[in-house]
Amino acid sequence: MASAIIQTHEKLVKKEISCTQLVKEKLEALAKNQYNSVNFLLSDLALAKAKQVDDKIAKGEKIGLLEGIPFGVKDVFLLQGQHASASSKFLKNYISPYTATAIQKLVDAGAIPVCKENADSFGHGSTSENTIFGSVKNAHNEELVGGGSSGGSAVNVAKEYTVFSIGGDTGGSIRQPAGYNKVYGFKPTYGRISRYGLMAYASSTDCVGPITSSLEDIELVMNVISGKDYHDQTTYESQAINLAPALTPESVTVGYYGDFIDNKGLDEKIKSDFLAVIEKIKAKGIQVKALSFKNADTLVSTYYALAMAETASNLARLDGSMYGERIAADTLKESYAVTRSEGFTAESQRRIVGGNQVLSQGYADEIYLKAQALRKNIIQLFTQDFKEVSVILSPVSPTLPPKIGNSLKDPLAMYLSDIYTIGFSLGELPTLTTPLGTATGIQITADKKQDELTLKFAKYLNEIL
Ligand code: GLN
C-alpha cells in the first residue's frame, strides 16, 4: 500500500482537492460512521486549520508533507481546549489544559487533528467495549470487536476516516487493534516518544505510536513525533528512521518462540499461517531459530500485576477534587467513594481494586516485588535472545476478534488474549504489527532502539509474502 500521507499531500499540492474540502469530507464520514469510533469531532479547530493551509497554497507557498493531513487522536491524549475523556464518565466533560508533546509536534508540522477517538476507558481493555461511547465495531465485520484499547483509532484508519491516527500502547493497544482491523500499528522503544500529555495507565510501559495504512506513513509520522522531551525524563534523542536503503536479508537472523506457537489457546489457522510464513522466510535462505520463552505462562500475570498496581496509583488522583465530575456526599470520604464508584467503569474498578491489593502492606513483597523480579528475568531473556537473532516474529493475538459482548462476560479470557503483545511491552522493545501472514497480522520485534529494523523487515516481508 502506497503512503496515504504522500498521496493526500500530492492531491493538495496539485489542487485536486482543497484542504477545506478534504477536512469536511473526513468530518462528515466520521460523523456518519456506525462503528462508534469517534468520541468528539474537532470540527471548528480542523476547519480553521484547513483554511490556513488553503490560504498558503493559494499564495503559491510550499507546504510540508504533513501540512493539511487530517489525523485522529485517541481520546487519552490532551489537546488544549478540547475534550479528553479517556472514554470515561469521570472525564466526559473534561477539557484539556495543554497539548501532549506528540500531538503538538504533529500540529506544528501542520497536520490537522479531526477527532478524539473511542477506546477502552483509560486504556483498560483489549476490545474497546469498556467505554461509555458504545463498543467499537470491527472495520471488516460489525459483529466483531474493533480490538483495544486503541480500537477507534485502528477502525478510523482502516475505513480511511483519518489518514493516520495516534494511539497509546501499554500492553498491545496499538498492535492488537491494528491486527484486528488489518492496518499497521507501531509501538516504538519505550522512551522514544514523549508521554507528556498522554493520560497515564501503566507509566513504565506506556508508549505513544502511529496507526497507519502503510509503512512509509509510520516512518513519516515517527520522524516527527520522536525525540527527547524535557517534560518526560524517560525520553531520549533518536536517529530518524530511513526505510529507503533495503534490508540485506543475509544479515538478518529471525527468531520465534516455540512456546508461543505451542500455546493451546492459539487458533489452529493462525498457527498454521504463522508457521507457513516462517517456512517462506527459511526458503529465502534466511536463518531462522526457534527460541524458548521458558516462562510464557507468567507473562500475563506479571504484566497484569504491574499494570494494575501502576494504574491504581496513577488514577488515585481522580477523586473529583481536581479533575472531572464530583459527586457531593455527607462527608469528603463518602464523596470520594461515590465519585469514584460512579465515574469509573466496572473494568477500571476491577483494576484499581486489584492494583491496590498488589501494593498493599503484607502483599506488596509477595506480589508487586515478585512481579518486578519476574519482569527483570523477562528483560534478561530478551537481551540474551537478541544476541542470537536480529528480529523476533510472533502472532499478534491467539484468536480472531471476538464477537461484541463476549469478552465482557469473561475478563480473565480477555487478559489471556494479550499473551503475545504484553511481553514486548515489559521488555520496552520496538514492535510492529504488520497486517500480513495471519488473519490478525504478525508482530515484528527488534532489540531496544532498533525501531528501524522492525519496519525494514516488514518491508522485506511485503516483498516475499
Ligand atoms: N489489553 C491490555 C490491557 O488491558 C493492553 C491495553 C493497553 O495497551 N492500553 O492492559
Side-chain angles (χ1 to χ4, degrees):
M1 188 89 177
S3 160
I5 293 177
I6 295 177
Q7 281 178 348
T8 311
H9 172 76
E10 280 171 359
K11 276 191 200 159
L12 289 173
V13 172
K14 289 186 190 148
K15 298 189 185 165
E16 285 170 23
I17 189 168
S18 72
C19 191
T20 303
Q21 189 57 33
L22 171 70
V23 166
K24 270 192 184 156
E25 280 178 12
K26 296 292 182 202
L27 288 169
E28 271 164 32
L30 287 161
K32 279 204 296 228
N33 98 78
Q34 301 292 316
Y35 294 84
N36 293 329
S37 59
V38 180
N39 292 355
F40 302 98
L41 286 176
L42 307 174
S43 310
D44 292 348
L45 174 78
L47 287 168
K49 289 198 176 292
K51 183 168 180 319
Q52 288 169 4
V53 176
D54 282 335
D55 289 347
K56 228 174 144 177
I57 295 172
K59 278 192 232 152
E61 286 176 32
K62 253 195 145 159
I63 58 163
L65 259 186
L66 279 165
E67 232 170 318
I69 304 293
F71 73 103
V73 182
K74 184 179 181 182
D75 202 12
V76 288
F77 287 95
L78 302 190
L79 175 56
Q80 194 174 39
Q82 307 295 336
H83 283 278
S85 76
S87 295
S88 70
K89 192 171 164 195
F90 219 123
L91 299 177
K92 198 174 164 198
N93 299 312
Y94 181 69
I95 301 294
S96 315
Y98 62 92
T99 301
T101 300
I103 307 302
Q104 188 63 54
K105 285 184 170 190
L106 287 165
V107 169
D108 290 346
I112 301 183
V114 285
C115 62
K116 298 299 297 292
E117 300 170 313
N118 199 359
D120 285 302
S121 193
F122 296 103
H124 296 159
S126 313
T127 59
S128 291
E129 295 171 288
N130 174 32
T131 157
I132 60 156
F133 292 93
S135 301
V136 177
K137 298 175 188 172
N138 191 286
H140 303 284
N141 180 343
E142 293 180 36
E143 286 181 10
L144 308 181
V145 302
S149 65
S150 312
S153 310
V155 169
N156 286 337
V157 174
K159 301 301 289 182
E160 297 182 25
Y161 298 150
T162 59
V163 175
F164 67 91
S165 287
I166 298 297
D169 187 313
T170 305
S173 276
I174 288 176
R175 292 163 282 154
Q176 185 255 41
Y180 278 9
N181 294 287
K182 303 187 194 303
V183 289
Y184 291 90
F186 186 52
K187 179 201 98 67
T189 303
Y190 179 77
R192 188 178 174 114
I193 302 173
S194 170
R195 288 173 290 123
Y196 182 65
L198 162 69
M199 288 187 205
Y201 166 11
S203 316
S204 76
T205 63
D206 284 347
C207 287
V208 177
I211 298 178
T212 69
S213 56
S214 72
L215 284 169
E216 289 75 10
D217 287 348
I218 292 194
E219 175 190 25
L220 287 169
V221 174
M222 282 300 295
N223 288 345
V224 171
I225 62 182
S226 300
K228 191 160 177 58
D229 181 13
Y230 160 83
H231 294 293
D232 176 354
Q233 294 301 307
T234 63
T235 51
Y236 63 90
E237 210 51 75
S238 52
Q239 279 205 328
I241 289 169
N242 184 3
L243 264 181
L247 182 86
T248 34
E250 314 78 61
S251 66
V252 177
T253 307
V254 172
Y256 72 95
Y257 288 113
D259 351 29
F260 277 18
I261 307 309
D262 293 336
N263 171 9
K264 280 201 278 314
L266 177 59
D267 176 270
E268 280 304 319
K269 178 85 170 88
I270 295 182
K271 179 175 175 169
S272 58
D273 287 348
F274 179 82
L275 289 173
V277 170
I278 295 289
E279 287 310 314
K280 277 194 189 149
I281 293 170
K282 280 187 190 161
K284 290 282 164 195
I286 294 179
Q287 216 193 331
V288 178
K289 285 189 181 170
L291 305 164
S292 164
F293 204 86
K294 297 184 187 78
N295 51 2
D297 289 348
T298 59
L299 277 174
V300 174
S301 36
T302 305
Y303 168 80
Y304 274 99
L306 295 174
M308 286 189 184
E310 291 189 38
T311 204
S313 164
N314 279 324
L315 294 179
R317 77 191 71 169
L318 290 182
D319 57 17
S321 51
M322 299 275 279
Y323 316 94
E325 305 295 324
R326 174 186 197 149
I327 299 171
D330 289 344
T331 65
L332 186 61
K333 216 171 160 185
E334 272 174 46
S335 164
Y336 289 164
V338 191
T339 300
R340 285 170 67 81
S341 304
E342 290 291 316
F344 289 121
T345 60
E347 182 57 37
S348 294
Q349 288 181 28
R350 190 159 26 245
R351 293 173 188 223
I352 291 168
V353 171
N356 283 326
Q357 172 85 359
V358 166
L359 291 172
S360 61
Q361 205 175 6
Y363 291 94
D365 288 4
E366 221 175 293
I367 311 175
Y368 181 70
L369 294 185
K370 188 166 177 192
Q372 288 283 32
L374 284 167
R375 181 176 187 181
K376 249 195 201 142
N377 290 345
I378 291 164
I379 292 172
Q380 275 167 2
L381 187 105
F382 285 134
T383 310
Q384 266 325 103
D385 287 343
F386 279 116
K387 286 187 184 142
E388 289 190 39
V389 301
S390 20
V391 293
I392 292 175
L393 300 191
S394 54
V396 176
S397 65
T399 60
L400 300 175
K403 275 212 162 131
I404 290 178
N406 282 359
S407 303
L408 292 176
K409 292 179 222 146
D410 191 352
L412 184 61
M414 184 181 76
Y415 301 162
L416 290 170
S417 77
D418 293 334
I419 179 143
Y420 299 134
T421 51
I422 51 188
F424 304 124
S425 297
L426 293 170
E428 306 183 357
L429 301 169
T431 304
L432 171 78
T433 286
T434 180
L436 278 177
T438 84
T440 58
I442 285 193
Q443 282 188 111
I444 305 168
T445 304
D447 203 357
K448 265 187 208 170
K449 303 194 178 176
Q450 302 292 313
D451 301 52
E452 184 180 89
L453 181 59
T454 65
L455 302 175
K456 283 199 166 176
F457 193 77
K459 197 175 159 193
Y460 176 70
L461 276 188
N462 274 341
E463 286 159 21
I464 68 163
L465 291 184

